[in-house]
Amino acid sequence: MAPAAPLKESEDFLQSFCADRAAYVRGNAWLAATAMIAGMLILWFLGNPHIWTGAVGGLAAVTVRASYLMSEALSVRWDLTTLHLLGPMDRKIKLAEIKVVNTLGSTVQIVTSNGEKHLIKYQADTQATIVDLRRARARQAVRNGSGDTLN
């Protein structure tokens, strides 16, 4: 789940963004809490006298899912270069095409000028990731003389 695209001759590697185990566990803990509450509410609305089983089911479902997907989710890496943001499965985003960068919990969302959306999931510090992306984008814009800014 690491970028495989070769760098251009004029392109330099800047840094990698890897998934953080603590952010993964924290995100799944929130998901489990939500699933537990939802399961209990559904059983309560259906009139089931054993609403506590909704909590057990919600916790079990998220725990199984999280443990099954953990190795894949934590192996994802995004590489930032002087020209591109390179992601898993041959994703290649030109820095000049990045329009907006948003935060969604421990995830950084990249929106390109043509509307494509990409997620850098499970970041330990989303604000640091955003700052690094904005810095690289600003350096690239100065090099090109465009002066574009990133929201």
Side-chain angles (χ1 to χ4, degrees):
M1 295 297 281
L7 299 182
K8 292 183 178 181
E9 202 169 294
S10 61
E11 187 173 21
D12 293 321
F13 171 81
L14 296 176
Q15 75 180 84
S16 291
F17 302 111
C18 298
D20 179 65
R21 180 179 296 274
Y24 182 80
V25 170
R26 190 173 40 253
N28 280 286
W30 279 107
L31 184 60
T34 303
M36 291 169 72
I37 292 168
M40 290 173 62
L41 285 173
I42 290 168
L43 291 176
W44 181 66
F45 283 126
L46 293 174
N48 188 317
H50 306 289
I51 64 171
W52 63 271
T53 59
V56 173
L59 179 62
V62 173
T63 301
V64 168
R65 177 193 172 275
S67 58
Y68 180 73
L69 296 176
M70 181 183 272
S71 62
E72 181 180 341
L74 295 179
S75 69
V76 174
R77 188 183 87 215
W78 288 79
D79 289 344
L80 181 62
T81 71
T82 52
L83 299 175
H84 297 95
L85 180 61
L86 306 171
M89 295 187 267
D90 297 325
R91 291 185 186 136
K92 190 172 187 178
I93 307 163
K94 291 182 181 178
L95 293 180
E97 292 178 358
I98 297 175
K99 189 74 170 169
V100 180
V101 179
N102 298 314
T103 303
L104 306 163
S106 65
T107 300
V108 174
Q109 179 191 43
I110 310 291
V111 182
T112 64
S113 54
N114 63 0
E116 291 179 2
K117 295 179 176 117
H118 304 274
L119 301 176
I120 304 175
K121 296 181 181 181
Y122 310 116
Q123 294 297 288
D125 186 354
T126 55
Q127 292 307 312
T129 302
I130 290 172
V131 166
D132 293 337
L133 289 169
R134 287 182 176 162
R135 239 185 239 138
R137 172 74 166 87
R139 274 188 252 141
Q140 198 258 344
V142 167
R143 246 185 254 128
N144 291 346
S146 66
D148 290 343
T149 58
L150 180 61
N151 296 330

